[in-house]
Amino acid sequence: MGFFRLGTLSALLSEPLVNGFTTGAAVHVTVSQLKDVLGVQVPRYKGAFKIVFTVNDLFKSIPKTNIIALTICLCIMVFMTICNEWIKPCLKKRCRLPFPGELISVIGGTLISRLLDLHGNYAVTLVGDIPKGLPMPELPRMDLVP
């Protein structure tokens, strides 16, 4: 859009329309992350009403919630809220360098996961192996062009 300067087109869209799309995107992201917050397995759906079916399955799987995964998520959310609301604004007045709250939470979560063996002891799903470096460049699949 930036190449064709279509950003000015968004000025023609009404504010309620943009707010509706933004709210829809926020709901979609929230619902897609709730299974990880609760530590449950939910089947993936396609097509219309997939968010409704996912929420229905999430409510059905609430009794199977992994309390450790939920506690970790809530602790990280509280820590990030404290960082963004109080620590970062306070340090911004005194220091030029930003407070790396996100980095601290990633490192802290990694250390806690490693030290407590969350996957083995508490069945917390981990991200898994992350490949090193960048993938080799390759041409896109041509069957996707049509």
Side-chain angles (χ1 to χ4, degrees):
M1 284 182 56
F3 182 72
F4 295 110
R5 300 201 181 265
L6 294 177
T8 57
L9 183 64
S10 66
L12 301 175
L13 301 174
S14 68
E15 187 175 337
L17 179 73
V18 174
N19 289 342
F21 278 119
T22 305
T23 303
V27 167
H28 180 70
V29 169
T30 302
V31 168
S32 69
Q33 295 300 311
L34 277 177
K35 64 179 174 35
D36 298 320
V37 170
L38 297 176
V40 295
Q41 296 291 329
V42 176
R44 295 180 65 123
Y45 294 100
K46 292 183 179 180
F49 300 108
K50 71 178 186 177
I51 291 178
V52 174
F53 293 138
T54 303
V55 169
N56 186 28
D57 285 345
L58 282 169
F59 276 115
K60 288 178 183 176
S61 63
I62 284 179
K64 297 182 237 171
T65 298
N66 186 333
I67 300 300
I68 302 298
L70 180 62
T71 304
I72 291 169
C73 288
L74 291 176
C75 289
I76 294 291
M77 290 184 341
V78 167
F79 174 73
M80 292 307 303
T81 302
I82 291 170
C83 282
N84 290 333
E85 296 296 324
W86 292 293
I87 296 175
K88 284 184 180 183
C90 182
L91 289 179
K92 189 175 184 179
K93 297 174 187 174
R94 299 183 179 139
C95 182
R96 286 186 165 185
L97 297 174
F99 181 71
E102 295 83 2
L103 181 62
I104 291 171
S105 62
V106 168
I107 292 172
T110 304
L111 287 174
I112 290 171
S113 173
R114 184 73 165 181
L115 294 173
L116 299 178
D117 189 22
L118 294 180
H119 181 64
N121 293 334
Y122 304 105
V124 174
T125 306
L126 302 179
V127 173
D129 292 331
I130 300 173
K132 296 178 182 177
L134 296 173
M136 291 300 297
E138 58 184 40
L139 292 173
R141 292 178 26 205
M142 296 315 277
D143 61 322
L144 298 175
V145 171

mmCIF file of all heavy atoms in Angstrom, residues 33-42 64-70 72-73 109-110 112-114 117-130:
data_model
loop_
_atom_site.group_PDB
_atom_site.id
_atom_site.type_symbol
_atom_site.label_atom_id
_atom_site.label_comp_id
_atom_site.label_asym_id
_atom_site.label_seq_id
_atom_site.Cartn_x
_atom_site.Cartn_y
_atom_site.Cartn_z
ATOM 1 N N GLN A 33 -5.054 -16.828 21.153
ATOM 2 C CA GLN A 33 -4.033 -16.993 22.183
ATOM 3 C C GLN A 33 -4.566 -17.614 23.472
ATOM 4 O O GLN A 33 -3.773 -18.057 24.304
ATOM 5 C CB GLN A 33 -3.396 -15.642 22.510
ATOM 6 C CG GLN A 33 -2.628 -15.034 21.361
ATOM 7 C CD GLN A 33 -1.495 -15.922 20.894
ATOM 8 O OE1 GLN A 33 -0.709 -16.394 21.692
ATOM 9 N NE2 GLN A 33 -1.433 -16.160 19.600
ATOM 10 N N LEU A 34 -5.864 -17.651 23.660
ATOM 11 C CA LEU A 34 -6.430 -18.164 24.913
ATOM 12 C C LEU A 34 -6.101 -19.625 25.165
ATOM 13 O O LEU A 34 -5.924 -20.035 26.308
ATOM 14 C CB LEU A 34 -7.943 -17.957 24.939
ATOM 15 C CG LEU A 34 -8.417 -16.577 25.365
ATOM 16 C CD1 LEU A 34 -9.932 -16.486 25.272
ATOM 17 C CD2 LEU A 34 -7.955 -16.252 26.766
ATOM 18 N N LYS A 35 -5.988 -20.426 24.122
ATOM 19 C CA LYS A 35 -5.646 -21.844 24.314
ATOM 20 C C LYS A 35 -4.264 -21.985 24.931
ATOM 21 O O LYS A 35 -4.036 -22.857 25.761
ATOM 22 C CB LYS A 35 -5.743 -22.609 23.000
ATOM 23 C CG LYS A 35 -4.759 -22.167 21.938
ATOM 24 C CD LYS A 35 -4.906 -22.990 20.684
ATOM 25 C CE LYS A 35 -4.060 -22.518 19.558
ATOM 26 N NZ LYS A 35 -2.765 -21.979 19.832
ATOM 27 N N ASP A 36 -3.341 -21.104 24.557
ATOM 28 C CA ASP A 36 -2.000 -21.158 25.133
ATOM 29 C C ASP A 36 -1.989 -20.628 26.563
ATOM 30 O O ASP A 36 -1.242 -21.120 27.401
ATOM 31 C CB ASP A 36 -1.020 -20.356 24.276
ATOM 32 C CG ASP A 36 -0.893 -20.930 22.872
ATOM 33 O OD1 ASP A 36 -0.877 -22.171 22.749
ATOM 34 O OD2 ASP A 36 -0.813 -20.153 21.909
ATOM 35 N N VAL A 37 -2.801 -19.625 26.830
ATOM 36 C CA VAL A 37 -2.886 -19.081 28.189
ATOM 37 C C VAL A 37 -3.462 -20.122 29.142
ATOM 38 O O VAL A 37 -2.966 -20.296 30.254
ATOM 39 C CB VAL A 37 -3.738 -17.790 28.208
ATOM 40 C CG1 VAL A 37 -4.046 -17.353 29.619
ATOM 41 C CG2 VAL A 37 -3.039 -16.679 27.449
ATOM 42 N N LEU A 38 -4.485 -20.837 28.690
ATOM 43 C CA LEU A 38 -5.108 -21.857 29.533
ATOM 44 C C LEU A 38 -4.346 -23.175 29.516
ATOM 45 O O LEU A 38 -4.580 -24.036 30.358
ATOM 46 C CB LEU A 38 -6.555 -22.096 29.091
ATOM 47 C CG LEU A 38 -7.495 -20.901 29.223
ATOM 48 C CD1 LEU A 38 -8.859 -21.247 28.653
ATOM 49 C CD2 LEU A 38 -7.607 -20.444 30.656
ATOM 50 N N GLY A 39 -3.454 -23.342 28.549
ATOM 51 C CA GLY A 39 -2.682 -24.578 28.465
ATOM 52 C C GLY A 39 -3.505 -25.775 28.047
ATOM 53 O O GLY A 39 -3.283 -26.882 28.531
ATOM 54 N N VAL A 40 -4.467 -25.566 27.146
ATOM 55 C CA VAL A 40 -5.333 -26.654 26.686
ATOM 56 C C VAL A 40 -5.184 -26.837 25.178
ATOM 57 O O VAL A 40 -4.701 -25.949 24.480
ATOM 58 C CB VAL A 40 -6.818 -26.382 27.037
ATOM 59 C CG1 VAL A 40 -7.028 -26.371 28.526
ATOM 60 C CG2 VAL A 40 -7.301 -25.084 26.423
ATOM 61 N N GLN A 41 -5.612 -28.000 24.708
ATOM 62 C CA GLN A 41 -5.609 -28.286 23.277
ATOM 63 C C GLN A 41 -7.016 -28.037 22.731
ATOM 64 O O GLN A 41 -7.994 -28.547 23.279
ATOM 65 C CB GLN A 41 -5.210 -29.737 23.019
ATOM 66 C CG GLN A 41 -3.803 -30.073 23.457
ATOM 67 C CD GLN A 41 -2.768 -29.391 22.590
ATOM 68 O OE1 GLN A 41 -2.987 -29.162 21.405
ATOM 69 N NE2 GLN A 41 -1.643 -29.044 23.184
ATOM 70 N N VAL A 42 -7.089 -27.250 21.662
ATOM 71 C CA VAL A 42 -8.369 -26.940 21.032
ATOM 72 C C VAL A 42 -8.212 -27.191 19.536
ATOM 73 O O VAL A 42 -7.211 -26.777 18.948
ATOM 74 C CB VAL A 42 -8.768 -25.464 21.284
ATOM 75 C CG1 VAL A 42 -10.039 -25.107 20.555
ATOM 76 C CG2 VAL A 42 -8.929 -25.207 22.761
ATOM 77 N N LYS A 64 -9.974 -28.441 32.293
ATOM 78 C CA LYS A 64 -8.671 -29.049 32.033
ATOM 79 C C LYS A 64 -7.544 -28.017 32.013
ATOM 80 O O LYS A 64 -6.451 -28.305 31.556
ATOM 81 C CB LYS A 64 -8.695 -29.767 30.685
ATOM 82 C CG LYS A 64 -9.672 -30.916 30.616
ATOM 83 C CD LYS A 64 -9.574 -31.573 29.267
ATOM 84 C CE LYS A 64 -10.941 -31.553 28.625
ATOM 85 N NZ LYS A 64 -10.945 -31.972 27.254
ATOM 86 N N THR A 65 -7.794 -26.814 32.503
ATOM 87 C CA THR A 65 -6.804 -25.736 32.466
ATOM 88 C C THR A 65 -5.543 -26.133 33.215
ATOM 89 O O THR A 65 -5.604 -26.668 34.321
ATOM 90 C CB THR A 65 -7.392 -24.456 33.099
ATOM 91 O OG1 THR A 65 -8.521 -24.041 32.335
ATOM 92 C CG2 THR A 65 -6.371 -23.342 33.130
ATOM 93 N N ASN A 66 -4.397 -25.851 32.600
ATOM 94 C CA ASN A 66 -3.107 -26.066 33.239
ATOM 95 C C ASN A 66 -2.837 -24.844 34.126
ATOM 96 O O ASN A 66 -2.534 -23.763 33.637
ATOM 97 C CB ASN A 66 -2.016 -26.239 32.188
ATOM 98 C CG ASN A 66 -0.689 -26.618 32.785
ATOM 99 O OD1 ASN A 66 -0.397 -26.301 33.933
ATOM 100 N ND2 ASN A 66 0.121 -27.289 31.987
ATOM 101 N N ILE A 67 -2.968 -25.022 35.421
ATOM 102 C CA ILE A 67 -2.866 -23.908 36.373
ATOM 103 C C ILE A 67 -1.481 -23.253 36.311
ATOM 104 O O ILE A 67 -1.356 -22.036 36.441
ATOM 105 C CB ILE A 67 -3.185 -24.389 37.802
ATOM 106 C CG1 ILE A 67 -4.604 -24.968 37.876
ATOM 107 C CG2 ILE A 67 -3.014 -23.282 38.819
ATOM 108 C CD1 ILE A 67 -5.694 -23.983 37.509
ATOM 109 N N ILE A 68 -0.440 -24.039 36.102
ATOM 110 C CA ILE A 68 0.914 -23.489 36.032
ATOM 111 C C ILE A 68 1.051 -22.569 34.817
ATOM 112 O O ILE A 68 1.587 -21.458 34.921
ATOM 113 C CB ILE A 68 1.962 -24.621 35.991
ATOM 114 C CG1 ILE A 68 1.845 -25.516 37.210
ATOM 115 C CG2 ILE A 68 3.357 -24.066 35.846
ATOM 116 C CD1 ILE A 68 2.103 -24.811 38.519
ATOM 117 N N ALA A 69 0.553 -23.002 33.652
ATOM 118 C CA ALA A 69 0.621 -22.175 32.445
ATOM 119 C C ALA A 69 -0.175 -20.883 32.638
ATOM 120 O O ALA A 69 0.286 -19.795 32.256
ATOM 121 C CB ALA A 69 0.101 -22.948 31.242
ATOM 122 N N LEU A 70 -1.357 -20.991 33.238
ATOM 123 C CA LEU A 70 -2.177 -19.806 33.499
ATOM 124 C C LEU A 70 -1.481 -18.857 34.460
ATOM 125 O O LEU A 70 -1.465 -17.638 34.253
ATOM 126 C CB LEU A 70 -3.541 -20.231 34.046
ATOM 127 C CG LEU A 70 -4.519 -19.115 34.373
ATOM 128 C CD1 LEU A 70 -4.878 -18.328 33.128
ATOM 129 C CD2 LEU A 70 -5.773 -19.678 35.023
ATOM 130 N N ILE A 72 1.774 -18.535 35.011
ATOM 131 C CA ILE A 72 2.910 -17.907 34.336
ATOM 132 C C ILE A 72 2.430 -16.778 33.434
ATOM 133 O O ILE A 72 2.999 -15.674 33.437
ATOM 134 C CB ILE A 72 3.710 -18.954 33.534
ATOM 135 C CG1 ILE A 72 4.424 -19.898 34.484
ATOM 136 C CG2 ILE A 72 4.706 -18.291 32.592
ATOM 137 C CD1 ILE A 72 5.024 -21.104 33.809
ATOM 138 N N CYS A 73 1.377 -17.016 32.669
ATOM 139 C CA CYS A 73 0.842 -15.977 31.779
ATOM 140 C C CYS A 73 0.348 -14.766 32.561
ATOM 141 O O CYS A 73 0.607 -13.620 32.176
ATOM 142 C CB CYS A 73 -0.285 -16.536 30.922
ATOM 143 S SG CYS A 73 0.290 -17.643 29.639
ATOM 144 N N GLY A 109 11.351 -15.881 31.734
ATOM 145 C CA GLY A 109 10.512 -17.035 31.422
ATOM 146 C C GLY A 109 11.324 -18.227 30.960
ATOM 147 O O GLY A 109 11.038 -19.374 31.325
ATOM 148 N N THR A 110 12.370 -17.961 30.170
ATOM 149 C CA THR A 110 13.240 -19.035 29.711
ATOM 150 C C THR A 110 13.977 -19.675 30.884
ATOM 151 O O THR A 110 14.070 -20.905 30.983
ATOM 152 C CB THR A 110 14.242 -18.506 28.674
ATOM 153 O OG1 THR A 110 13.521 -17.896 27.598
ATOM 154 C CG2 THR A 110 15.117 -19.612 28.134
ATOM 155 N N ILE A 112 13.116 -19.657 34.128
ATOM 156 C CA ILE A 112 12.165 -20.365 34.989
ATOM 157 C C ILE A 112 11.761 -21.691 34.353
ATOM 158 O O ILE A 112 11.697 -22.724 35.016
ATOM 159 C CB ILE A 112 10.942 -19.480 35.287
ATOM 160 C CG1 ILE A 112 11.341 -18.330 36.206
ATOM 161 C CG2 ILE A 112 9.809 -20.294 35.890
ATOM 162 C CD1 ILE A 112 10.273 -17.285 36.376
ATOM 163 N N SER A 113 11.517 -21.672 33.045
ATOM 164 C CA SER A 113 11.150 -22.893 32.347
ATOM 165 C C SER A 113 12.261 -23.925 32.409
ATOM 166 O O SER A 113 12.005 -25.119 32.611
ATOM 167 C CB SER A 113 10.827 -22.573 30.886
ATOM 168 O OG SER A 113 10.634 -23.745 30.147
ATOM 169 N N ARG A 114 13.475 -23.472 32.265
ATOM 170 C CA ARG A 114 14.630 -24.388 32.289
ATOM 171 C C ARG A 114 14.889 -24.917 33.697
ATOM 172 O O ARG A 114 15.112 -26.114 33.886
ATOM 173 C CB ARG A 114 15.848 -23.640 31.755
ATOM 174 C CG ARG A 114 17.076 -24.441 31.635
ATOM 175 C CD ARG A 114 16.949 -25.382 30.487
ATOM 176 N NE ARG A 114 18.271 -25.890 30.163
ATOM 177 C CZ ARG A 114 18.492 -26.706 29.207
ATOM 178 N NH1 ARG A 114 17.496 -27.093 28.454
ATOM 179 N NH2 ARG A 114 19.686 -27.150 28.957
ATOM 180 N N ASP A 117 11.929 -27.105 34.885
ATOM 181 C CA ASP A 117 11.538 -28.132 33.913
ATOM 182 C C ASP A 117 10.016 -28.156 33.762
ATOM 183 O O ASP A 117 9.350 -29.156 34.051
ATOM 184 C CB ASP A 117 12.073 -29.503 34.316
ATOM 185 C CG ASP A 117 11.874 -30.535 33.221
ATOM 186 O OD1 ASP A 117 11.714 -30.139 32.043
ATOM 187 O OD2 ASP A 117 11.859 -31.736 33.527
ATOM 188 N N LEU A 118 9.469 -27.027 33.339
ATOM 189 C CA LEU A 118 8.013 -26.877 33.249
ATOM 190 C C LEU A 118 7.380 -27.880 32.296
ATOM 191 O O LEU A 118 6.262 -28.340 32.535
ATOM 192 C CB LEU A 118 7.661 -25.450 32.829
ATOM 193 C CG LEU A 118 8.018 -24.355 33.826
ATOM 194 C CD1 LEU A 118 7.622 -22.997 33.278
ATOM 195 C CD2 LEU A 118 7.347 -24.602 35.158
ATOM 196 N N HIS A 119 8.090 -28.225 31.239
ATOM 197 C CA HIS A 119 7.517 -29.174 30.279
ATOM 198 C C HIS A 119 7.445 -30.580 30.883
ATOM 199 O O HIS A 119 6.420 -31.260 30.764
ATOM 200 C CB HIS A 119 8.337 -29.186 28.992
ATOM 201 C CG HIS A 119 7.804 -30.115 27.950
ATOM 202 N ND1 HIS A 119 6.574 -29.936 27.363
ATOM 203 C CD2 HIS A 119 8.317 -31.239 27.402
ATOM 204 C CE1 HIS A 119 6.360 -30.898 26.494
ATOM 205 N NE2 HIS A 119 7.402 -31.710 26.498
ATOM 206 N N GLY A 120 8.508 -30.995 31.517
ATOM 207 C CA GLY A 120 8.540 -32.348 32.080
ATOM 208 C C GLY A 120 7.719 -32.510 33.340
ATOM 209 O O GLY A 120 7.004 -33.495 33.510
ATOM 210 N N ASN A 121 7.802 -31.522 34.236
ATOM 211 C CA ASN A 121 7.134 -31.650 35.536
ATOM 212 C C ASN A 121 5.674 -31.217 35.521
ATOM 213 O O ASN A 121 4.858 -31.751 36.274
ATOM 214 C CB ASN A 121 7.885 -30.849 36.599
ATOM 215 C CG ASN A 121 9.255 -31.429 36.877
ATOM 216 O OD1 ASN A 121 9.490 -32.608 36.681
ATOM 217 N ND2 ASN A 121 10.164 -30.583 37.325
ATOM 218 N N TYR A 122 5.341 -30.213 34.711
ATOM 219 C CA TYR A 122 3.995 -29.630 34.781
ATOM 220 C C TYR A 122 3.245 -29.638 33.456
ATOM 221 O O TYR A 122 2.184 -29.030 33.340
ATOM 222 C CB TYR A 122 4.085 -28.191 35.298
ATOM 223 C CG TYR A 122 4.776 -28.099 36.635
ATOM 224 C CD1 TYR A 122 6.076 -27.630 36.739
ATOM 225 C CD2 TYR A 122 4.127 -28.490 37.801
ATOM 226 C CE1 TYR A 122 6.713 -27.552 37.969
ATOM 227 C CE2 TYR A 122 4.753 -28.415 39.022
ATOM 228 C CZ TYR A 122 6.047 -27.950 39.104
ATOM 229 O OH TYR A 122 6.675 -27.873 40.315
ATOM 230 N N ALA A 123 3.793 -30.270 32.434
ATOM 231 C CA ALA A 123 3.151 -30.400 31.111
ATOM 232 C C ALA A 123 2.832 -29.057 30.473
ATOM 233 O O ALA A 123 1.824 -28.904 29.792
ATOM 234 C CB ALA A 123 1.896 -31.257 31.205
ATOM 235 N N VAL A 124 3.705 -28.067 30.685
ATOM 236 C CA VAL A 124 3.542 -26.773 30.033
ATOM 237 C C VAL A 124 4.127 -26.888 28.633
ATOM 238 O O VAL A 124 5.270 -27.317 28.466
ATOM 239 C CB VAL A 124 4.245 -25.648 30.829
ATOM 240 C CG1 VAL A 124 4.198 -24.338 30.082
ATOM 241 C CG2 VAL A 124 3.609 -25.501 32.193
ATOM 242 N N THR A 125 3.342 -26.529 27.620
ATOM 243 C CA THR A 125 3.801 -26.618 26.241
ATOM 244 C C THR A 125 4.842 -25.543 25.979
ATOM 245 O O THR A 125 4.622 -24.362 26.269
ATOM 246 C CB THR A 125 2.620 -26.446 25.271
ATOM 247 O OG1 THR A 125 1.616 -27.396 25.616
ATOM 248 C CG2 THR A 125 3.052 -26.662 23.840
ATOM 249 N N LEU A 126 5.965 -25.957 25.416
ATOM 250 C CA LEU A 126 7.051 -25.033 25.113
ATOM 251 C C LEU A 126 7.043 -24.684 23.628
ATOM 252 O O LEU A 126 6.437 -25.391 22.814
ATOM 253 C CB LEU A 126 8.397 -25.650 25.488
ATOM 254 C CG LEU A 126 8.552 -26.065 26.952
ATOM 255 C CD1 LEU A 126 9.921 -26.682 27.179
ATOM 256 C CD2 LEU A 126 8.351 -24.877 27.871
ATOM 257 N N VAL A 127 7.753 -23.637 23.286
ATOM 258 C CA VAL A 127 7.848 -23.214 21.892
ATOM 259 C C VAL A 127 8.548 -24.281 21.072
ATOM 260 O O VAL A 127 8.169 -24.567 19.946
ATOM 261 C CB VAL A 127 8.601 -21.864 21.790
ATOM 262 C CG1 VAL A 127 8.857 -21.500 20.346
ATOM 263 C CG2 VAL A 127 7.820 -20.767 22.475
ATOM 264 N N GLY A 128 9.580 -24.882 21.622
ATOM 265 C CA GLY A 128 10.338 -25.903 20.909
ATOM 266 C C GLY A 128 11.651 -25.337 20.404
ATOM 267 O O GLY A 128 12.081 -24.248 20.798
ATOM 268 N N ASP A 129 12.293 -26.085 19.528
ATOM 269 C CA ASP A 129 13.573 -25.645 18.983
ATOM 270 C C ASP A 129 13.369 -24.498 18.009
ATOM 271 O O ASP A 129 12.484 -24.549 17.148
ATOM 272 C CB ASP A 129 14.274 -26.803 18.270
ATOM 273 C CG ASP A 129 14.709 -27.883 19.237
ATOM 274 O OD1 ASP A 129 14.992 -27.540 20.406
ATOM 275 O OD2 ASP A 129 14.769 -29.055 18.832
ATOM 276 N N ILE A 130 14.193 -23.488 18.151
ATOM 277 C CA ILE A 130 14.163 -22.342 17.250
ATOM 278 C C ILE A 130 15.412 -22.432 16.387
ATOM 279 O O ILE A 130 16.523 -22.480 16.904
ATOM 280 C CB ILE A 130 14.132 -21.018 18.029
ATOM 281 C CG1 ILE A 130 12.878 -20.974 18.898
ATOM 282 C CG2 ILE A 130 14.179 -19.835 17.082
ATOM 283 C CD1 ILE A 130 12.812 -19.798 19.823
#
